Amino acid sequence: MKPVLALLLASCALAVQARDALPQHLADTGWQAPGVMSFTPQYPLWSDGADKRRWIALPPDAAIDASQPDDWQFPAGTRLWKQFAHGGKPVETRYIERLADGSWRFATYVWNERGDDAQLAPAGGIAALPVAAAPDGRYAVPGRGDCIACHGGAQKVLGFSALQLSPARATRARPGDLDLRSLVARGLLRGLPPALIDQPPRVAAATPLERAALGYLHANCGHCHNTTGTQAPVRLALMQRIADSQASRDEVLRSMLEAPSRYRPPGFGDEARVIAAGHPERSALVARMASRDARVQMPPLGTHVPDAEGLALVAQWILQLPSSTPEPRP
Amino acid sequence: MTPSPLLVTASQIALAFCTAALSIAFAPTVHAADSTPKVGQIERGRYLVNTSGCMDCHTPLKPGPNGPAPDMSRLLSGHPQALKMPPAPVLPAGPWLVTVAATNTAWSGPWGVSFTANLTPDVETGLGAWTVDDFKATIRGGRHMGRGRPVLPPMPIAVYDNFSDDDLEAVFAYLRTIPPVKNRVPEPEAPRAAQ
């Protein structure tokens, strides 16, 4: 009896290990296998100028439930990859997988010099990987805890949503990329309200400049600063909703324009505000986007270099904000 | 009496951390049955807070007949907002590294100046709006709410990361029971060279 029991326990232990063990090589995650599809969000996250590519794979005969257009439900077995390259060479490829019990797991794989293999990175990440083409010649590989910092909120998958894949894009997609229409046509997206196919979603805004700025803030800040239950020390609602885009736009503007800033940049005095309409130089948002001091910078992780283009966009938008914001055109 | 900054050595800081670590290592383990705080869980949290060095920095010291003692009217409420600290002294080159206020709530070192946090359940200035998951994410990830700015020295995050989930839940349950103190702790300051 005892040997049988021992075998049973051993097999259980192996089963648990097999379920929990992450593949040691990127190739073994299914990357580049048949059925893997590329996509490009219209509002990308700033990552120190890295050239990024993204892919998704769904299990056979499965589809994403889009009946809540701002909260897609991904089937167990969903896998996503995002690859970061500098100087034309891949540096790391991040991996997200939804497991059978509904939980998600996160990992990242670091490419070798030859670019023919990527190995599982340490759970704690790599603080400064030498990468000649990266800013300052170093590159930070996130630890798994860092993954949770952005992907641990209500929405685990970021950058793959109705807004980000809308055919009414602000930026160009790559050839062959998925979008809302191709997802529906392939039967990979079910329950999407037909109105969003007839009239592709976009950020409600008074001007193209405002749309670009709110889209940028959605992608770069909204995963922490939102009203879905994810908490951040500064309470803002920067995640756009497409189900009620007009109300969402109003909520986003109200949250930013009314919010005092607990952080007071030098010279701002005691009345620092997240946004001072018409005055980017008095807006803590701009000061924090421009900083890479760990105590101050926004976003707080994933970047060592400010996004000059994004900063200019947001500053220009704030500069044009009158003290009472105009109503958007329908 | 205005508290004056005093100097401590890195070894003293390390000793304090080690004391906290030993307290944790020899503490018994209990298991919470569900998310509702139980008397046992709260008591366990009180025990952990009292034995793990939390009080040393998060309750300001004030002068008393027997020397500096924790100001229990400001239990675990962090650096007093009314105590505006002068610029930290510039230390000469050498082995001295850290300056700390007499309250033990403001610390200056190579990372800049940090002020100990308000751990009371005050909604506006303490942890009142935090969830237990925010608290656990802070300790596990070393960032505010798990996703904000890094938690700065001297907070021994690496030591407290050894707490079990049950331990952290007990600590948080206890912190919910202490009196809320409205005290907005200042934001940290950059090192003087970076200002």
Side-chain angles (χ1 to χ4, degrees):
Chain A
M1 194 65 184
K2 279 182 180 174
V4 174
L5 184 62
L7 266 176
L8 189 65
L9 289 173
S11 62
C12 287
L14 279 173
V16 168
Q17 192 178 26
R19 190 192 65 200
D20 291 340
L22 281 157
Q24 290 298 307
H25 298 271
L26 176 65
D28 297 329
T29 64
W31 183 66
Q32 288 192 324
V36 173
M37 301 162 285
S38 69
F39 66 96
T40 304
Q42 64 165 321
Y43 298 112
L45 175 76
W46 167 251
S47 301
D48 291 354
D51 180 27
K52 297 192 284 186
R53 301 191 64 182
R54 305 158 186 84
W55 300 270
I56 186 171
L58 299 177
D61 304 320
I64 300 162
D65 178 358
S67 51
Q68 296 181 62
D70 290 304
D71 188 17
W72 288 4
Q73 298 300 311
F74 293 82
T78 297
R79 288 166 293 162
L80 297 108
W81 299 263
K82 180 155 79 167
Q83 182 168 288
F84 296 68
H86 279 284
K89 293 175 69 172
V91 178
E92 64 154 334
T93 301
R94 298 178 190 168
Y95 175 60
I96 302 178
E97 180 184 6
R98 186 157 213 192
L99 302 176
D101 65 1
S103 64
W104 295 84
R105 66 176 178 178
F106 307 87
T108 192
Y109 293 84
V110 177
W111 286 89
N112 65 14
E113 191 60 29
R114 295 186 305 276
D116 59 7
D117 183 36
Q119 283 204 318
L120 183 65
I126 303 171
L129 184 71
V131 174
D136 300 328
R138 62 193 173 93
Y139 181 95
V141 177
R144 280 170 217 157
D146 296 328
C147 301
I148 305 292
C150 292
H151 293 271
Q155 295 186 4
K156 304 295 185 290
V157 175
L158 303 170
F160 192 91
S161 65
L163 177 61
Q164 289 283 30
L165 300 179
S166 175
R169 296 178 63 88
T171 51
R172 277 194 298 179
R174 292 173 187 265
D177 273 351
L178 288 170
D179 69 3
L180 271 189
R181 287 182 179 136
S182 61
L183 275 168
V184 172
R186 293 189 195 196
L188 302 175
L189 196 65
R190 294 177 190 151
L192 186 74
L196 294 175
I197 294 295
D198 300 337
Q199 192 168 1
R202 60 181 193 164
V203 174
T207 63
L209 175 62
E210 180 182 297
R211 177 170 294 112
L214 297 187
Y216 181 89
L217 295 171
H218 167 83
N220 284 272
C221 319
H223 44 274
C224 286
H225 297 283
N226 61 60
T227 56
T228 65
T230 308
Q231 293 219 77
V234 179
R235 303 291 175 82
L236 298 171
L238 302 183
M239 182 181 281
Q240 297 283 333
R241 297 188 307 273
I242 55 158
D244 49 355
S245 57
Q246 184 63 64
S248 179
R249 178 261 186 188
D250 294 345
E251 182 180 292
V252 168
L253 288 184
R254 195 166 50 246
S255 83
M256 282 193 290
L257 291 168
E258 292 179 356
S261 174
R262 180 175 165 181
Y263 167 69
R264 290 164 188 161
F268 274 47
D270 288 344
E271 298 298 322
R273 306 202 65 77
V274 171
I275 284 185
H279 297 279
E281 78 286 359
R282 296 198 335 237
S283 299
L285 172 67
V286 173
R288 301 192 75 167
M289 282 177 65
S291 173
R292 283 302 176 267
D293 175 334
R295 289 167 297 269
V296 176
Q297 75 169 65
M298 281 291 144
L301 72 168
T303 164
H304 298 296
V305 182
D307 177 5
E309 203 174 309
L311 256 173
L313 168 68
V314 171
Q316 190 187 357
W317 170 61
I318 294 173
L319 184 65
Q320 296 189 358
L321 275 178
S323 54
S324 94
T325 306
E327 289 302 310
R329 295 194 205 105
Chain B
M1 177 178 173
T2 304
S4 60
L6 57 93
L7 293 174
V8 297
T9 64
S11 62
Q12 283 174 291
I13 300 168
L15 181 62
F17 292 173
C18 290
T19 306
L22 282 170
S23 303
I24 297 160
F26 290 108
T29 303
V30 293
H31 297 278
D34 56 43
S35 59
T36 309
K38 300 289 192 300
V39 171
Q41 186 189 32
I42 293 168
E43 285 308 310
R44 165 76 176 159
R46 186 199 313 274
Y47 170 79
L48 290 171
V49 166
N50 287 341
T51 54
S52 301
C54 307
M55 194 81 86
D56 295 353
C57 296
H58 289 276
T59 302
L61 296 177
K62 69 174 183 180
N66 301 314
D71 180 353
M72 299 306 280
S73 71
R74 306 187 63 86
L75 178 69
L76 296 168
S77 62
H79 180 80
Q81 69 178 53
L83 178 56
K84 307 291 185 194
M85 297 298 294
V90 177
L91 298 179
W96 293 96
L97 190 70
V98 173
T99 312
V100 58
T103 53
N104 225 31
T105 58
W107 296 66
S108 172
W111 64 89
V113 178
S114 49
F115 302 93
T116 58
N118 181 349
L119 306 182
T120 75
D122 182 67
V123 173
E124 288 180 16
T125 64
L127 303 187
W130 286 39
T131 66
V132 66
D133 287 339
D134 293 329
F135 182 73
K136 287 159 66 178
T138 301
I139 301 297
R140 295 280 180 249
R143 292 180 173 277
H144 272 207
M145 293 180 163
R147 56 183 65 88
R149 70 161 175 79
V151 176
L152 296 170
M155 177 68 180
I157 285 286
V159 173
Y160 295 152
D161 191 25
N162 292 301
F163 274 136
S164 68
D165 282 354
D166 284 352
D167 290 339
L168 291 176
E169 287 160 13
V171 167
F172 189 71
Y174 166 64
L175 292 175
R176 299 303 245 193
T177 68
I178 64 177
V181 176
K182 193 164 290 300
N183 177 50
R184 187 166 301 282
V185 173
E187 291 290 292
E189 297 169 4
R192 187 170 288 184
Q195 290 178 351

